[in-house]
Amino acid sequence: MPHRSVETAPREELRRVQSERLRETVRTAYENVPFYRERFDEMGLSPDDVTSVDDVSALPFTTKEDFRDTYPTGMFAVEMDDVVRVHASSGTTGKPKIVGYTQSDLDVWDDAMARCLVAAGLESDDVVQNAYGYGLFTGGLGLQQGIEAIGATVIPIGGGQTQRQVELLADLESDALACTPSYALYVAETADEMGVDVRELPLRLVIFGAEPCTEPMREEIEDRLGVTGVDLYGLSEIVGPGVSIECLEQDGLHVWEDRFYPEVVDPASGDPVAEGEEGELVLTTLSKEALPVLRYRTGDLTTLNYDTCDCGRTAVRMDNVTGRTDDLLIVRGVNVYPSEIESVVLEFEAVAPYYRIDLRREDNLDTLELTVELADDFDGPVSGVRERILDRLSNVLSFTPDDLSLVRPGEIARTEVGKVQRVYDHRG
Ligand code: DLL
């Protein structure tokens, strides 16, 4: 059962709601954010030119650099007096992006998260262990609000304390675990070490997100924890977690389109791609007060599918995000995404889902070193595995790493708090 009737509304009705909210958002952005007013004036665009979502492509893009240039609060459309909370994005370099919420924005976010959790099959009598980090990161509080909004029970443990996480999963009989996909695997590994079989516990669902999760990685999570894994997507600049989620059909993530308008564009030209083609996801907020954002270039690669889902929802589905425009590796002329390497490597039973990629520059040539951990229960000859992985990488991706090291179980550092890092670029 969808949480809101708009989730199954005919698409014409949805477009009417979107158009009305877009007009309002554009007007607010123009009137209250100098950054947008300047852009519009430069382009000779007036808010009156935007009458429906058909006009969305006339609007300027917003980029992460725009957030940096207007740091800390230059993108806000309201006075600080009306802002009841701020969060910040998890940037790895430079200043974080600061985002703000009015009370009405928090209500919209609660509702979007509640819709996500209902779509994932959670009910008011469920117990959810929330292992997303609390604080400036939007994961912890975002999940917390949604869980409370549907009347379920939240265990606000946050990231880390992994043995305690395992104990609580058992003692409080949690129905669901919310955390990054890499952390879900770490919980499974820790439980094994503690002699706890999570598959025997009531846990039935993992709500993973904030990081890419390839299909082999999802299978590993589902198998080792004995759960269904659903993918939750979002980003601070737009709201936080809650932009989209998979329903139990696990066939794409429903975008709450009445709140966040999605487009997919060619990352190079910025032109919209044909329906169903892959490109960069661009999002426009449709009811944010403190931080209205027009056509945000997320950097995340996906496709959009407008067919009605078997669950009955008409809300468009985006594909799982496994790559970003900025994580494309170009090694000696071959283009390869880390997620493509992951998908190939994890086909092998002999390896564990832990790997790292090191990029270096030697004599003006880029080199890529791949390090993969062997599975706990692997006791065969390493050389055969190495050759088979190299062969498969070369066949599937036309790419061979300069070096492939297979290391013992546990040698690759685990991430207990925050997002996993797998690519280390030493090229300066
Ligand atoms: O990661 C919000 C979030 C929290 C989403 C908890 C889901 C669960 P940021 O720190 O601003 O916000 O990072 C946003 O993380 O542009 C994607 O590149 C990546 N990302 C988020 N969700 C997914 C996902 C949160 N399900 C950036 N799959 C986004 C792949 C994801 N990448």
Side-chain angles (χ1 to χ4, degrees):
M1 268 298 284
H3 194 54
R4 296 275 173 253
S5 58
V6 69
E7 293 170 36
T8 52
R11 294 208 56 88
E12 315 78 74
E13 191 181 321
L14 184 62
R15 284 183 82 76
R16 197 187 46 72
V17 173
Q18 289 174 321
S19 295
E20 194 178 300
R21 291 183 178 164
L22 180 67
R23 286 194 296 271
E24 182 72 28
T25 299
V26 167
R27 180 155 301 283
T28 308
Y30 182 79
E31 286 173 2
N32 301 331
V33 186
F35 163 82
Y36 281 121
R37 178 183 288 261
E38 278 165 31
R39 282 283 164 95
F40 275 54
D41 291 350
E42 272 163 30
M43 295 166 75
L45 186 71
S46 147
D48 295 332
D49 297 335
V50 177
T51 57
S52 82
V53 279
D54 293 333
D55 302 321
V56 77
S57 56
L59 294 169
F61 286 121
T62 308
T63 63
K64 61 173 190 263
E65 287 73 31
D66 296 329
F67 273 84
R68 300 252 152 82
D69 294 346
T70 55
Y71 178 86
T73 58
M75 300 292 280
F76 286 15
V78 298
E79 296 298 325
M80 233 8 193
D81 254 12
D82 296 317
V83 172
V84 296
R85 190 183 313 153
V86 295
H87 278 285
S89 76
S90 48
T92 44
T93 50
K95 298 260 195 212
K97 285 154 259 162
I98 306 286
V99 300
Y101 306 77
T102 62
Q103 186 54 53
S104 152
D105 293 335
L106 288 185
D107 295 344
V108 165
W109 188 14
D110 288 3
D111 194 62
M113 267 311 305
R115 284 160 69 172
C116 286
L117 299 177
V118 169
L122 281 180
E123 296 186 9
S124 59
D125 56 357
D126 283 321
V127 176
V128 188
Q129 186 156 319
N130 183 16
Y132 284 112
Y134 282 75
L136 285 175
F137 176 53
T138 51
L141 283 167
L143 266 286
Q144 162 104 16
Q145 295 153 206
I147 297 163
E148 289 178 349
I150 64 165
T153 308
V154 60
I155 307 176
I157 183 163
Q161 310 183 67
T162 311
Q163 294 197 354
R164 164 79 47 90
Q165 302 263 6
V166 174
E167 284 161 14
L168 283 178
L169 281 179
D171 296 346
L172 293 177
E173 304 188 338
S174 302
D175 300 286
L177 171 67
C179 63
T180 60
S182 57
Y183 193 60
L185 282 176
Y186 187 57
V187 169
E189 192 178 39
T190 307
D192 280 352
E193 283 162 17
M194 293 166 68
V196 175
D197 186 353
V198 180
R199 281 169 297 204
E200 298 292 309
L201 301 179
L203 190 73
R204 66 166 202 273
L205 184 73
V206 169
I207 305 156
F208 60 77
E211 281 169 10
C213 183
T214 57
E215 275 314 299
M217 186 73 99
R218 181 212 297 265
E219 279 165 27
E220 185 91 17
I221 293 170
E222 294 192 329
D223 187 45
R224 293 190 65 172
L225 293 169
V227 294
T228 300
V230 296
D231 193 354
L232 167 67
Y233 171 87
L235 62 168
S236 321
E237 299 88 310
I238 295 300
V239 75
V243 171
S244 64
I245 193 163
E246 282 175 331
C247 64
L248 292 174
E249 302 292 330
Q250 294 177 303
D251 189 17
L253 291 78
H254 289 283
V255 182
W256 306 132
E257 276 181 276
D258 52 311
R259 300 290 184 195
F260 317 108
Y261 185 79
E263 302 166 78
V264 173
V265 304
D266 178 321
S269 67
D271 295 335
V273 299
E275 194 177 320
E277 231 177 77
E278 189 182 73
E280 179 179 355
L281 179 67
V282 170
L283 290 166
T284 299
T285 64
L286 292 178
S287 42
K288 293 269 301 297
E289 287 180 346
L291 189 57
V293 178
L294 306 181
R295 303 193 82 206
Y296 187 65
R297 302 284 297 250
T298 65
D300 295 322
L301 295 168
T302 193
T303 58
L304 292 177
N305 173 0
Y306 287 90
D307 296 340
T308 302
C309 180
D310 287 345
C311 75
R313 289 180 178 81
T314 48
V316 68
R317 279 169 288 161
M318 58 184 262
D319 210 2
N320 306 71
V321 172
T322 54
R324 290 183 45 80
T325 51
D326 50 13
D327 66 17
L328 176 67
L329 308 173
I330 306 177
V331 185
R332 291 187 308 283
V334 179
N335 291 3
V336 60
Y337 284 99
S339 58
E340 294 179 312
I341 299 179
E342 173 180 310
S343 292
V344 169
V345 168
L346 296 193
E347 286 173 11
F348 291 84
E349 300 247 311
V351 304
Y354 299 100
Y355 67 94
R356 61 177 281 160
I357 291 169
D358 287 272
L359 299 168
R360 296 197 170 76
R361 181 161 297 147
E362 286 162 20
D363 301 332
N364 284 325
L365 276 185
D366 288 340
T367 64
L368 186 150
E369 183 187 340
L370 177 62
T371 309
V372 183
E373 227 176 79
L374 286 165
D376 249 355
D377 51 3
F378 177 73
D379 57 5
V382 169
S383 62
V385 179
R386 261 190 103 249
E387 268 148 34
R388 279 185 291 129
I389 294 180
L390 287 172
D391 198 46
R392 187 92 182 119
L393 282 169
S394 147
N395 271 315
V396 181
L397 303 175
S398 308
F399 151 86
T400 355
D402 298 273
D403 197 8
L404 167 62
S405 315
L406 294 172
V407 296
R408 283 197 307 277
E411 276 196 23
I412 292 180
R414 308 295 194 247
T415 306
E416 278 199 75
V417 178
K419 303 192 186 207
V420 70
Q421 185 182 357
R422 295 207 172 94
V423 179
Y424 296 83
D425 194 340
H426 313 279
R427 291 174 298 183

